[in-house]
Amino acid sequence: MSDANEPTGAVEPNAGATGAGATGATAPTGAAVTPEPVGTAGPAGAPDGRHVRVVLVDDHRMFRTGVQAEIGQTDRTGVEVVGEAADVDQAVTVITATRPEVVLLDVHLPGGGGVEVLRRCAPLMSDAEQPVRFLALSVSDAAEDVIGVIRGGARGYVTKTITGTDLVDSVFRVQDGDAVFSPRLAGFVLDAFASTDAPPVDEDLDRLTQREREVLRLIARGYAYKEIAKQLFISVKTVESHVSAVLRKLQLSNRHELTRWATARRLV
C-alpha cells in the first residue's frame, strides 16, 4: 500500500545521491535525476573497489527506507542508491533519468505492477553499452509472480526475507549478468521453462492485462469490489470494468466460474 502523503509522480533521489540539488527531499512532480555518464567515476565503493548504482522501486516508503539503510552505505557495501519510486510511472521516470546498473523491483505496484515497469523499460534492458538489469525483490513467493517478471526480463527474484549481506551479493551478481533466485523460487522457473508436459505460455492468461490479472486474483480470493478498489487504489467502477473485461476475454459468465478458472491454474 502506498503512503497517503506520498505524491504520485514524484521522483525521489536518495539523500546520498551525487549531483546538484540532491538534498534527500522529495523532488517536485516530473523532476529528473541527472544520470551519471558512462565512464564517470562515482563514489569509491566497497573496500574491494566494487560499485553499483541502484534504483529502489517499492510502494512502501518504510521498506525503501529500510533497504536504503541496510545496503545503501556506499563506502561499506559499494551500493549507491541513486533513486526511488513508488509506482509504475515514477519507476519508469527515475530509471530512465538515472540509468542505474540494477533496479530492485517490487512485483505488486500501483499502475500495472512490476511487469509493466519491465515492459516499458525493455529498450533500457537491451542497451548493449549500458544495460539496466532488474532484480525482483518481493514479499510474494507465488509461482505466477516469479514467472511473470522473469518472462518480462528480470534477471532474478528474491524475497524480502533475504539478509542485507545476501541482497548486496545478489545485486552485484545481477550487475555481472548472472541470474539470481531464492532457492525455492528457482524451482518455479525450472518447472515453467523446462517442463515438456505443459506449454510455457498460457494463451488465455496472456489475453489479460497486468491490472486485469491483479483483479482476477483478488476476485478469486473472495474480495468484494470495494476491497479490491481500496487495495489497488482505483474506483469501484473501474473494478467492475476490469471484471467485465476478464469475463469477456475468458468467455466466462460470472465470478464463480472465474474463481474455478483461476483455482484450476493455481492463481489463487
Side-chain angles (χ1 to χ4, degrees):
M1 180 181 296
S2 299
D3 299 294
N5 61 351
E6 186 167 305
T8 301
V11 177
E12 299 180 358
N14 81 78
T18 59
T23 62
T26 300
T29 301
V33 182
T34 302
E36 181 177 331
V38 179
T40 300
D48 61 3
R50 297 185 304 171
H51 177 249
V52 60
R53 301 171 70 251
V54 172
V55 163
L56 304 178
V57 180
D58 193 285
D59 62 338
H60 289 82
R61 183 191 294 271
M62 290 184 64
F63 179 76
R64 297 197 311 269
T65 300
V67 173
Q68 163 73 20
E70 184 72 23
I71 73 171
Q73 300 177 34
T74 310
D75 57 347
R76 178 177 62 85
T77 65
V79 176
E80 179 191 5
V81 178
V82 297
E84 302 178 9
D87 60 33
V88 170
D89 288 340
Q90 288 183 26
V92 174
T93 297
V94 73
I95 293 167
T96 302
T98 59
R99 298 296 294 268
E101 281 87 29
V102 178
V103 177
L104 288 177
L105 179 69
D106 193 12
V107 174
H108 300 292
L109 295 167
V115 171
E116 179 64 13
V117 175
L118 291 164
R119 185 186 69 80
R120 292 168 60 178
C121 290
L124 301 180
M125 288 190 281
S126 60
D127 188 316
E129 294 185 0
Q130 192 183 7
V132 177
R133 295 189 169 101
F134 287 79
L135 173 62
L137 174 62
S138 177
V139 68
S140 171
D141 61 359
E144 67 270 15
D145 288 334
V146 179
I147 301 307
V149 296
I150 297 307
R151 282 181 177 154
R155 295 293 304 174
Y157 195 118
V158 295
T159 62
K160 291 181 178 179
T161 57
I162 193 170
T163 66
T165 300
D166 287 343
L167 182 56
V168 169
D169 179 66
S170 296
V171 167
F172 278 106
R173 288 173 61 191
V174 168
Q175 181 192 29
D176 292 338
D178 293 343
V180 179
F181 297 93
S182 297
R184 176 171 175 267
L185 306 185
F188 296 153
V189 178
L190 290 174
D191 290 344
F193 291 95
S195 174
T196 57
D197 298 328
V201 176
D202 186 325
E203 293 183 0
D204 289 331
L205 190 60
D206 280 359
R207 292 191 184 101
L208 307 181
T209 67
Q210 180 64 26
R211 178 46 59 88
E212 287 169 352
R213 296 184 194 189
E214 293 173 350
V215 172
L216 164 65
R217 292 188 185 103
L218 293 174
I219 285 289
R221 291 169 184 168
Y223 283 74
Y225 285 4
K226 287 184 179 180
E227 294 172 323
I228 296 173
K230 183 177 180 181
Q231 182 157 336
L232 298 181
F233 303 98
I234 57 180
S235 69
V236 173
K237 186 175 181 62
T238 300
V239 174
E240 293 173 350
S241 297
H242 285 314
V243 172
S244 295
V246 170
L247 292 174
R248 183 181 68 256
K249 291 179 180 181
L250 299 180
Q251 299 182 356
L252 301 174
S253 300
N254 53 56
R255 66 180 297 163
H256 300 295
E257 290 185 3
L258 186 152
T259 299
R260 288 197 295 270
W261 187 93
T263 302
R265 286 163 172 76
R266 300 181 181 178
L267 300 179
V268 181

PDB file of all heavy atoms in Angstrom, residues 156-194:
ATOM      1  N   GLY A 156      16.447 -11.968 -11.977  1.00  0.00           N
ATOM      2  CA  GLY A 156      16.357 -12.800 -10.790  1.00  0.00           C
ATOM      3  C   GLY A 156      15.183 -12.396  -9.925  1.00  0.00           C
ATOM      4  O   GLY A 156      14.478 -11.429 -10.216  1.00  0.00           O
ATOM      5  N   TYR A 157      14.986 -13.146  -8.841  1.00  0.00           N
ATOM      6  CA  TYR A 157      13.841 -12.917  -7.956  1.00  0.00           C
ATOM      7  C   TYR A 157      14.227 -13.403  -6.574  1.00  0.00           C
ATOM      8  O   TYR A 157      14.558 -14.578  -6.376  1.00  0.00           O
ATOM      9  CB  TYR A 157      12.644 -13.696  -8.488  1.00  0.00           C
ATOM     10  CG  TYR A 157      11.296 -13.321  -7.916  1.00  0.00           C
ATOM     11  CD1 TYR A 157      10.292 -12.824  -8.741  1.00  0.00           C
ATOM     12  CD2 TYR A 157      10.997 -13.493  -6.566  1.00  0.00           C
ATOM     13  CE1 TYR A 157       9.034 -12.508  -8.251  1.00  0.00           C
ATOM     14  CE2 TYR A 157       9.751 -13.175  -6.059  1.00  0.00           C
ATOM     15  CZ  TYR A 157       8.770 -12.680  -6.898  1.00  0.00           C
ATOM     16  OH  TYR A 157       7.531 -12.365  -6.398  1.00  0.00           O
ATOM     17  N   VAL A 158      14.192 -12.497  -5.608  1.00  0.00           N
ATOM     18  CA  VAL A 158      14.447 -12.862  -4.219  1.00  0.00           C
ATOM     19  C   VAL A 158      13.319 -12.299  -3.364  1.00  0.00           C
ATOM     20  O   VAL A 158      12.671 -11.316  -3.737  1.00  0.00           O
ATOM     21  CB  VAL A 158      15.813 -12.330  -3.725  1.00  0.00           C
ATOM     22  CG1 VAL A 158      16.955 -12.991  -4.472  1.00  0.00           C
ATOM     23  CG2 VAL A 158      15.901 -10.804  -3.856  1.00  0.00           C
ATOM     24  N   THR A 159      13.076 -12.935  -2.228  1.00  0.00           N
ATOM     25  CA  THR A 159      12.007 -12.480  -1.347  1.00  0.00           C
ATOM     26  C   THR A 159      12.563 -11.535  -0.289  1.00  0.00           C
ATOM     27  O   THR A 159      13.774 -11.461  -0.053  1.00  0.00           O
ATOM     28  CB  THR A 159      11.315 -13.670  -0.664  1.00  0.00           C
ATOM     29  OG1 THR A 159      12.270 -14.364   0.150  1.00  0.00           O
ATOM     30  CG2 THR A 159      10.735 -14.622  -1.698  1.00  0.00           C
ATOM     31  N   LYS A 160      11.645 -10.823   0.357  1.00  0.00           N
ATOM     32  CA  LYS A 160      12.041  -9.797   1.323  1.00  0.00           C
ATOM     33  C   LYS A 160      12.555 -10.366   2.637  1.00  0.00           C
ATOM     34  O   LYS A 160      12.915  -9.600   3.537  1.00  0.00           O
ATOM     35  CB  LYS A 160      10.874  -8.841   1.566  1.00  0.00           C
ATOM     36  CG  LYS A 160      10.561  -7.977   0.341  1.00  0.00           C
ATOM     37  CD  LYS A 160       9.411  -7.024   0.596  1.00  0.00           C
ATOM     38  CE  LYS A 160       9.171  -6.150  -0.630  1.00  0.00           C
ATOM     39  NZ  LYS A 160       8.041  -5.200  -0.443  1.00  0.00           N
ATOM     40  N   THR A 161      12.636 -11.682   2.755  1.00  0.00           N
ATOM     41  CA  THR A 161      13.257 -12.292   3.926  1.00  0.00           C
ATOM     42  C   THR A 161      14.781 -12.350   3.777  1.00  0.00           C
ATOM     43  O   THR A 161      15.472 -12.748   4.699  1.00  0.00           O
ATOM     44  CB  THR A 161      12.717 -13.719   4.143  1.00  0.00           C
ATOM     45  OG1 THR A 161      12.961 -14.499   2.955  1.00  0.00           O
ATOM     46  CG2 THR A 161      11.224 -13.694   4.426  1.00  0.00           C
ATOM     47  N   ILE A 162      15.295 -11.938   2.633  1.00  0.00           N
ATOM     48  CA  ILE A 162      16.730 -12.005   2.366  1.00  0.00           C
ATOM     49  C   ILE A 162      17.493 -11.084   3.316  1.00  0.00           C
ATOM     50  O   ILE A 162      16.998 -10.030   3.722  1.00  0.00           O
ATOM     51  CB  ILE A 162      17.012 -11.627   0.895  1.00  0.00           C
ATOM     52  CG1 ILE A 162      18.447 -11.985   0.501  1.00  0.00           C
ATOM     53  CG2 ILE A 162      16.736 -10.143   0.652  1.00  0.00           C
ATOM     54  CD1 ILE A 162      18.704 -11.847  -1.004  1.00  0.00           C
ATOM     55  N   THR A 163      18.701 -11.473   3.690  1.00  0.00           N
ATOM     56  CA  THR A 163      19.523 -10.627   4.554  1.00  0.00           C
ATOM     57  C   THR A 163      20.163  -9.507   3.740  1.00  0.00           C
ATOM     58  O   THR A 163      20.275  -9.603   2.511  1.00  0.00           O
ATOM     59  CB  THR A 163      20.632 -11.446   5.229  1.00  0.00           C
ATOM     60  OG1 THR A 163      21.550 -11.914   4.220  1.00  0.00           O
ATOM     61  CG2 THR A 163      20.060 -12.634   5.995  1.00  0.00           C
ATOM     62  N   GLY A 164      20.590  -8.466   4.431  1.00  0.00           N
ATOM     63  CA  GLY A 164      21.245  -7.365   3.740  1.00  0.00           C
ATOM     64  C   GLY A 164      22.499  -7.793   3.005  1.00  0.00           C
ATOM     65  O   GLY A 164      22.747  -7.377   1.866  1.00  0.00           O
ATOM     66  N   THR A 165      23.292  -8.645   3.633  1.00  0.00           N
ATOM     67  CA  THR A 165      24.528  -9.121   3.016  1.00  0.00           C
ATOM     68  C   THR A 165      24.240  -9.903   1.745  1.00  0.00           C
ATOM     69  O   THR A 165      24.890  -9.711   0.702  1.00  0.00           O
ATOM     70  CB  THR A 165      25.314 -10.004   3.991  1.00  0.00           C
ATOM     71  OG1 THR A 165      25.647  -9.238   5.163  1.00  0.00           O
ATOM     72  CG2 THR A 165      26.585 -10.520   3.349  1.00  0.00           C
ATOM     73  N   ASP A 166      23.239 -10.790   1.810  1.00  0.00           N
ATOM     74  CA  ASP A 166      22.891 -11.580   0.632  1.00  0.00           C
ATOM     75  C   ASP A 166      22.288 -10.715  -0.461  1.00  0.00           C
ATOM     76  O   ASP A 166      22.479 -10.987  -1.658  1.00  0.00           O
ATOM     77  CB  ASP A 166      21.919 -12.695   1.013  1.00  0.00           C
ATOM     78  CG  ASP A 166      22.590 -13.819   1.793  1.00  0.00           C
ATOM     79  OD1 ASP A 166      23.838 -13.906   1.757  1.00  0.00           O
ATOM     80  OD2 ASP A 166      21.877 -14.611   2.441  1.00  0.00           O
ATOM     81  N   LEU A 167      21.554  -9.676  -0.070  1.00  0.00           N
ATOM     82  CA  LEU A 167      20.967  -8.790  -1.070  1.00  0.00           C
ATOM     83  C   LEU A 167      22.053  -8.026  -1.818  1.00  0.00           C
ATOM     84  O   LEU A 167      21.996  -7.882  -3.044  1.00  0.00           O
ATOM     85  CB  LEU A 167      19.982  -7.818  -0.411  1.00  0.00           C
ATOM     86  CG  LEU A 167      19.252  -6.858  -1.361  1.00  0.00           C
ATOM     87  CD1 LEU A 167      18.506  -7.626  -2.449  1.00  0.00           C
ATOM     88  CD2 LEU A 167      18.288  -5.968  -0.567  1.00  0.00           C
ATOM     89  N   VAL A 168      23.041  -7.536  -1.098  1.00  0.00           N
ATOM     90  CA  VAL A 168      24.162  -6.852  -1.747  1.00  0.00           C
ATOM     91  C   VAL A 168      24.857  -7.792  -2.722  1.00  0.00           C
ATOM     92  O   VAL A 168      25.153  -7.422  -3.864  1.00  0.00           O
ATOM     93  CB  VAL A 168      25.171  -6.328  -0.697  1.00  0.00           C
ATOM     94  CG1 VAL A 168      26.461  -5.859  -1.377  1.00  0.00           C
ATOM     95  CG2 VAL A 168      24.564  -5.190   0.103  1.00  0.00           C
ATOM     96  N   ASP A 169      25.095  -9.025  -2.283  1.00  0.00           N
ATOM     97  CA  ASP A 169      25.736 -10.006  -3.162  1.00  0.00           C
ATOM     98  C   ASP A 169      24.878 -10.269  -4.404  1.00  0.00           C
ATOM     99  O   ASP A 169      25.401 -10.356  -5.525  1.00  0.00           O
ATOM    100  CB  ASP A 169      25.961 -11.306  -2.393  1.00  0.00           C
ATOM    101  CG  ASP A 169      26.599 -12.390  -3.261  1.00  0.00           C
ATOM    102  OD1 ASP A 169      27.758 -12.208  -3.675  1.00  0.00           O
ATOM    103  OD2 ASP A 169      25.926 -13.402  -3.530  1.00  0.00           O
ATOM    104  N   SER A 170      23.571 -10.360  -4.216  1.00  0.00           N
ATOM    105  CA  SER A 170      22.666 -10.610  -5.340  1.00  0.00           C
ATOM    106  C   SER A 170      22.688  -9.456  -6.328  1.00  0.00           C
ATOM    107  O   SER A 170      22.660  -9.665  -7.551  1.00  0.00           O
ATOM    108  CB  SER A 170      21.239 -10.832  -4.821  1.00  0.00           C
ATOM    109  OG  SER A 170      21.156 -11.986  -4.014  1.00  0.00           O
ATOM    110  N   VAL A 171      22.736  -8.230  -5.822  1.00  0.00           N
ATOM    111  CA  VAL A 171      22.779  -7.046  -6.691  1.00  0.00           C
ATOM    112  C   VAL A 171      24.024  -7.079  -7.569  1.00  0.00           C
ATOM    113  O   VAL A 171      23.959  -6.839  -8.789  1.00  0.00           O
ATOM    114  CB  VAL A 171      22.739  -5.759  -5.846  1.00  0.00           C
ATOM    115  CG1 VAL A 171      23.111  -4.549  -6.700  1.00  0.00           C
ATOM    116  CG2 VAL A 171      21.350  -5.560  -5.249  1.00  0.00           C
ATOM    117  N   PHE A 172      25.175  -7.389  -6.982  1.00  0.00           N
ATOM    118  CA  PHE A 172      26.412  -7.425  -7.768  1.00  0.00           C
ATOM    119  C   PHE A 172      26.406  -8.579  -8.771  1.00  0.00           C
ATOM    120  O   PHE A 172      26.931  -8.447  -9.879  1.00  0.00           O
ATOM    121  CB  PHE A 172      27.626  -7.516  -6.849  1.00  0.00           C
ATOM    122  CG  PHE A 172      28.064  -6.192  -6.298  1.00  0.00           C
ATOM    123  CD1 PHE A 172      27.823  -5.855  -4.978  1.00  0.00           C
ATOM    124  CD2 PHE A 172      28.696  -5.261  -7.107  1.00  0.00           C
ATOM    125  CE1 PHE A 172      28.208  -4.630  -4.472  1.00  0.00           C
ATOM    126  CE2 PHE A 172      29.085  -4.033  -6.617  1.00  0.00           C
ATOM    127  CZ  PHE A 172      28.842  -3.710  -5.291  1.00  0.00           C
ATOM    128  N   ARG A 173      25.815  -9.694  -8.395  1.00  0.00           N
ATOM    129  CA  ARG A 173      25.736 -10.820  -9.334  1.00  0.00           C
ATOM    130  C   ARG A 173      24.860 -10.473 -10.533  1.00  0.00           C
ATOM    131  O   ARG A 173      25.183 -10.802 -11.673  1.00  0.00           O
ATOM    132  CB  ARG A 173      25.212 -12.059  -8.609  1.00  0.00           C
ATOM    133  CG  ARG A 173      26.227 -12.675  -7.638  1.00  0.00           C
ATOM    134  CD  ARG A 173      25.607 -13.777  -6.819  1.00  0.00           C
ATOM    135  NE  ARG A 173      25.114 -14.871  -7.668  1.00  0.00           N
ATOM    136  CZ  ARG A 173      24.343 -15.854  -7.216  1.00  0.00           C
ATOM    137  NH1 ARG A 173      23.958 -15.875  -5.953  1.00  0.00           N
ATOM    138  NH2 ARG A 173      23.953 -16.805  -8.031  1.00  0.00           N
ATOM    139  N   VAL A 174      23.752  -9.782 -10.273  1.00  0.00           N
ATOM    140  CA  VAL A 174      22.886  -9.357 -11.369  1.00  0.00           C
ATOM    141  C   VAL A 174      23.596  -8.324 -12.228  1.00  0.00           C
ATOM    142  O   VAL A 174      23.496  -8.344 -13.463  1.00  0.00           O
ATOM    143  CB  VAL A 174      21.554  -8.796 -10.815  1.00  0.00           C
ATOM    144  CG1 VAL A 174      20.766  -8.069 -11.901  1.00  0.00           C
ATOM    145  CG2 VAL A 174      20.710  -9.933 -10.244  1.00  0.00           C
ATOM    146  N   GLN A 175      24.343  -7.424 -11.610  1.00  0.00           N
ATOM    147  CA  GLN A 175      25.133  -6.451 -12.377  1.00  0.00           C
ATOM    148  C   GLN A 175      26.083  -7.170 -13.328  1.00  0.00           C
ATOM    149  O   GLN A 175      26.302  -6.727 -14.471  1.00  0.00           O
ATOM    150  CB  GLN A 175      25.930  -5.551 -11.442  1.00  0.00           C
ATOM    151  CG  GLN A 175      26.765  -4.499 -12.167  1.00  0.00           C
ATOM    152  CD  GLN A 175      27.775  -3.814 -11.251  1.00  0.00           C
ATOM    153  OE1 GLN A 175      28.246  -4.409 -10.280  1.00  0.00           O
ATOM    154  NE2 GLN A 175      28.091  -2.566 -11.541  1.00  0.00           N
ATOM    155  N   ASP A 176      26.641  -8.290 -12.882  1.00  0.00           N
ATOM    156  CA  ASP A 176      27.574  -9.063 -13.707  1.00  0.00           C
ATOM    157  C   ASP A 176      26.879  -9.911 -14.773  1.00  0.00           C
ATOM    158  O   ASP A 176      27.540 -10.572 -15.574  1.00  0.00           O
ATOM    159  CB  ASP A 176      28.421  -9.981 -12.818  1.00  0.00           C
ATOM    160  CG  ASP A 176      29.388  -9.207 -11.933  1.00  0.00           C
ATOM    161  OD1 ASP A 176      29.704  -8.048 -12.269  1.00  0.00           O
ATOM    162  OD2 ASP A 176      29.808  -9.756 -10.893  1.00  0.00           O
ATOM    163  N   GLY A 177      25.547  -9.911 -14.755  1.00  0.00           N
ATOM    164  CA  GLY A 177      24.807 -10.658 -15.754  1.00  0.00           C
ATOM    165  C   GLY A 177      24.327 -12.024 -15.311  1.00  0.00           C
ATOM    166  O   GLY A 177      23.744 -12.776 -16.103  1.00  0.00           O
ATOM    167  N   ASP A 178      24.578 -12.367 -14.032  1.00  0.00           N
ATOM    168  CA  ASP A 178      24.130 -13.664 -13.528  1.00  0.00           C
ATOM    169  C   ASP A 178      22.622 -13.652 -13.263  1.00  0.00           C
ATOM    170  O   ASP A 178      22.017 -12.596 -13.088  1.00  0.00           O
ATOM    171  CB  ASP A 178      24.849 -14.014 -12.224  1.00  0.00           C
ATOM    172  CG  ASP A 178      26.326 -14.270 -12.423  1.00  0.00           C
ATOM    173  OD1 ASP A 178      26.727 -14.492 -13.578  1.00  0.00           O
ATOM    174  OD2 ASP A 178      27.076 -14.242 -11.427  1.00  0.00           O
ATOM    175  N   ALA A 179      22.023 -14.826 -13.201  1.00  0.00           N
ATOM    176  CA  ALA A 179      20.640 -14.986 -12.773  1.00  0.00           C
ATOM    177  C   ALA A 179      20.639 -15.384 -11.302  1.00  0.00           C
ATOM    178  O   ALA A 179      21.404 -16.266 -10.898  1.00  0.00           O
ATOM    179  CB  ALA A 179      19.938 -16.055 -13.606  1.00  0.00           C
ATOM    180  N   VAL A 180      19.810 -14.721 -10.499  1.00  0.00           N
ATOM    181  CA  VAL A 180      19.816 -14.930  -9.051  1.00  0.00           C
ATOM    182  C   VAL A 180      18.400 -15.224  -8.568  1.00  0.00           C
ATOM    183  O   VAL A 180      17.472 -14.470  -8.859  1.00  0.00           O
ATOM    184  CB  VAL A 180      20.356 -13.683  -8.317  1.00  0.00           C
ATOM    185  CG1 VAL A 180      20.334 -13.910  -6.806  1.00  0.00           C
ATOM    186  CG2 VAL A 180      21.760 -13.347  -8.789  1.00  0.00           C
ATOM    187  N   PHE A 181      18.246 -16.323  -7.813  1.00  0.00           N
ATOM    188  CA  PHE A 181      16.944 -16.688  -7.277  1.00  0.00           C
ATOM    189  C   PHE A 181      17.091 -17.214  -5.860  1.00  0.00           C
ATOM    190  O   PHE A 181      18.085 -17.855  -5.526  1.00  0.00           O
ATOM    191  CB  PHE A 181      16.288 -17.793  -8.119  1.00  0.00           C
ATOM    192  CG  PHE A 181      15.992 -17.394  -9.529  1.00  0.00           C
ATOM    193  CD1 PHE A 181      16.918 -17.660 -10.542  1.00  0.00           C
ATOM    194  CD2 PHE A 181      14.819 -16.751  -9.844  1.00  0.00           C
ATOM    195  CE1 PHE A 181      16.655 -17.283 -11.842  1.00  0.00           C
ATOM    196  CE2 PHE A 181      14.548 -16.375 -11.145  1.00  0.00           C
ATOM    197  CZ  PHE A 181      15.469 -16.636 -12.146  1.00  0.00           C
ATOM    198  N   SER A 182      16.072 -16.934  -5.030  1.00  0.00           N
ATOM    199  CA  SER A 182      15.973 -17.653  -3.776  1.00  0.00           C
ATOM    200  C   SER A 182      15.795 -19.132  -4.124  1.00  0.00           C
ATOM    201  O   SER A 182      15.124 -19.455  -5.110  1.00  0.00           O
ATOM    202  CB  SER A 182      14.773 -17.151  -2.970  1.00  0.00           C
ATOM    203  OG  SER A 182      14.940 -15.792  -2.619  1.00  0.00           O
ATOM    204  N   PRO A 183      16.381 -20.053  -3.349  1.00  0.00           N
ATOM    205  CA  PRO A 183      16.403 -21.471  -3.729  1.00  0.00           C
ATOM    206  C   PRO A 183      15.046 -22.042  -4.110  1.00  0.00           C
ATOM    207  O   PRO A 183      14.918 -22.720  -5.135  1.00  0.00           O
ATOM    208  CB  PRO A 183      16.976 -22.146  -2.475  1.00  0.00           C
ATOM    209  CG  PRO A 183      17.856 -21.097  -1.880  1.00  0.00           C
ATOM    210  CD  PRO A 183      17.147 -19.800  -2.118  1.00  0.00           C
ATOM    211  N   ARG A 184      14.019 -21.787  -3.312  1.00  0.00           N
ATOM    212  CA  ARG A 184      12.701 -22.350  -3.609  1.00  0.00           C
ATOM    213  C   ARG A 184      12.135 -21.791  -4.903  1.00  0.00           C
ATOM    214  O   ARG A 184      11.479 -22.492  -5.676  1.00  0.00           O
ATOM    215  CB  ARG A 184      11.741 -22.060  -2.448  1.00  0.00           C
ATOM    216  CG  ARG A 184      10.315 -22.518  -2.707  1.00  0.00           C
ATOM    217  CD  ARG A 184       9.479 -22.404  -1.436  1.00  0.00           C
ATOM    218  NE  ARG A 184       8.076 -22.727  -1.708  1.00  0.00           N
ATOM    219  CZ  ARG A 184       7.155 -21.843  -2.005  1.00  0.00           C
ATOM    220  NH1 ARG A 184       7.475 -20.556  -2.083  1.00  0.00           N
ATOM    221  NH2 ARG A 184       5.903 -22.190  -2.228  1.00  0.00           N
ATOM    222  N   LEU A 185      12.388 -20.518  -5.170  1.00  0.00           N
ATOM    223  CA  LEU A 185      11.822 -19.873  -6.343  1.00  0.00           C
ATOM    224  C   LEU A 185      12.489 -20.356  -7.628  1.00  0.00           C
ATOM    225  O   LEU A 185      11.873 -20.336  -8.694  1.00  0.00           O
ATOM    226  CB  LEU A 185      11.952 -18.356  -6.229  1.00  0.00           C
ATOM    227  CG  LEU A 185      11.372 -17.730  -4.952  1.00  0.00           C
ATOM    228  CD1 LEU A 185      11.451 -16.220  -5.030  1.00  0.00           C
ATOM    229  CD2 LEU A 185       9.935 -18.181  -4.725  1.00  0.00           C
ATOM    230  N   ALA A 186      13.726 -20.783  -7.536  1.00  0.00           N
ATOM    231  CA  ALA A 186      14.411 -21.287  -8.723  1.00  0.00           C
ATOM    232  C   ALA A 186      13.682 -22.491  -9.305  1.00  0.00           C
ATOM    233  O   ALA A 186      13.649 -22.698 -10.517  1.00  0.00           O
ATOM    234  CB  ALA A 186      15.851 -21.666  -8.377  1.00  0.00           C
ATOM    235  N   GLY A 187      13.049 -23.276  -8.431  1.00  0.00           N
ATOM    236  CA  GLY A 187      12.297 -24.433  -8.890  1.00  0.00           C
ATOM    237  C   GLY A 187      11.125 -24.051  -9.773  1.00  0.00           C
ATOM    238  O   GLY A 187      10.798 -24.756 -10.735  1.00  0.00           O
ATOM    239  N   PHE A 188      10.471 -22.928  -9.447  1.00  0.00           N
ATOM    240  CA  PHE A 188       9.356 -22.466 -10.276  1.00  0.00           C
ATOM    241  C   PHE A 188       9.824 -22.190 -11.699  1.00  0.00           C
ATOM    242  O   PHE A 188       9.152 -22.533 -12.672  1.00  0.00           O
ATOM    243  CB  PHE A 188       8.749 -21.184  -9.690  1.00  0.00           C
ATOM    244  CG  PHE A 188       8.111 -21.347  -8.337  1.00  0.00           C
ATOM    245  CD1 PHE A 188       8.024 -20.274  -7.466  1.00  0.00           C
ATOM    246  CD2 PHE A 188       7.591 -22.567  -7.935  1.00  0.00           C
ATOM    247  CE1 PHE A 188       7.424 -20.407  -6.229  1.00  0.00           C
ATOM    248  CE2 PHE A 188       6.999 -22.712  -6.691  1.00  0.00           C
ATOM    249  CZ  PHE A 188       6.916 -21.634  -5.830  1.00  0.00           C
ATOM    250  N   VAL A 189      10.982 -21.539 -11.794  1.00  0.00           N
ATOM    251  CA  VAL A 189      11.500 -21.173 -13.110  1.00  0.00           C
ATOM    252  C   VAL A 189      11.869 -22.413 -13.905  1.00  0.00           C
ATOM    253  O   VAL A 189      11.555 -22.534 -15.094  1.00  0.00           O
ATOM    254  CB  VAL A 189      12.712 -20.237 -12.962  1.00  0.00           C
ATOM    255  CG1 VAL A 189      13.286 -19.876 -14.325  1.00  0.00           C
ATOM    256  CG2 VAL A 189      12.320 -18.971 -12.204  1.00  0.00           C
ATOM    257  N   LEU A 190      12.530 -23.356 -13.246  1.00  0.00           N
ATOM    258  CA  LEU A 190      12.908 -24.598 -13.928  1.00  0.00           C
ATOM    259  C   LEU A 190      11.671 -25.357 -14.399  1.00  0.00           C
ATOM    260  O   LEU A 190      11.629 -25.861 -15.524  1.00  0.00           O
ATOM    261  CB  LEU A 190      13.735 -25.478 -12.991  1.00  0.00           C
ATOM    262  CG  LEU A 190      15.140 -24.966 -12.663  1.00  0.00           C
ATOM    263  CD1 LEU A 190      15.791 -25.856 -11.609  1.00  0.00           C
ATOM    264  CD2 LEU A 190      15.998 -24.913 -13.917  1.00  0.00           C
ATOM    265  N   ASP A 191      10.654 -25.423 -13.535  1.00  0.00           N
ATOM    266  CA  ASP A 191       9.431 -26.138 -13.910  1.00  0.00           C
ATOM    267  C   ASP A 191       8.739 -25.473 -15.091  1.00  0.00           C
ATOM    268  O   ASP A 191       8.233 -26.147 -15.991  1.00  0.00           O
ATOM    269  CB  ASP A 191       8.461 -26.193 -12.722  1.00  0.00           C
ATOM    270  CG  ASP A 191       8.949 -27.108 -11.615  1.00  0.00           C
ATOM    271  OD1 ASP A 191       9.857 -27.920 -11.880  1.00  0.00           O
ATOM    272  OD2 ASP A 191       8.444 -27.000 -10.482  1.00  0.00           O
ATOM    273  N   ALA A 192       8.720 -24.130 -15.085  1.00  0.00           N
ATOM    274  CA  ALA A 192       7.995 -23.402 -16.119  1.00  0.00           C
ATOM    275  C   ALA A 192       8.678 -23.487 -17.474  1.00  0.00           C
ATOM    276  O   ALA A 192       8.021 -23.618 -18.503  1.00  0.00           O
ATOM    277  CB  ALA A 192       7.833 -21.938 -15.713  1.00  0.00           C
ATOM    278  N   PHE A 193      10.001 -23.418 -17.480  1.00  0.00           N
ATOM    279  CA  PHE A 193      10.715 -23.340 -18.746  1.00  0.00           C
ATOM    280  C   PHE A 193      11.300 -24.670 -19.217  1.00  0.00           C
ATOM    281  O   PHE A 193      11.725 -24.786 -20.358  1.00  0.00           O
ATOM    282  CB  PHE A 193      11.833 -22.294 -18.656  1.00  0.00           C
ATOM    283  CG  PHE A 193      11.310 -20.892 -18.564  1.00  0.00           C
ATOM    284  CD1 PHE A 193      11.148 -20.276 -17.326  1.00  0.00           C
ATOM    285  CD2 PHE A 193      10.958 -20.182 -19.696  1.00  0.00           C
ATOM    286  CE1 PHE A 193      10.653 -18.985 -17.241  1.00  0.00           C
ATOM    287  CE2 PHE A 193      10.461 -18.900 -19.619  1.00  0.00           C
ATOM    288  CZ  PHE A 193      10.310 -18.289 -18.383  1.00  0.00           C
ATOM    289  N   ALA A 194      11.312 -25.670 -18.338  1.00  0.00           N
ATOM    290  CA  ALA A 194      11.898 -26.961 -18.725  1.00  0.00           C
ATOM    291  C   ALA A 194      10.862 -28.055 -18.882  1.00  0.00           C
ATOM    292  O   ALA A 194      11.147 -29.110 -19.436  1.00  0.00           O
ATOM    293  CB  ALA A 194      12.939 -27.406 -17.694  1.00  0.00           C
TER     294      ALA A 194
END
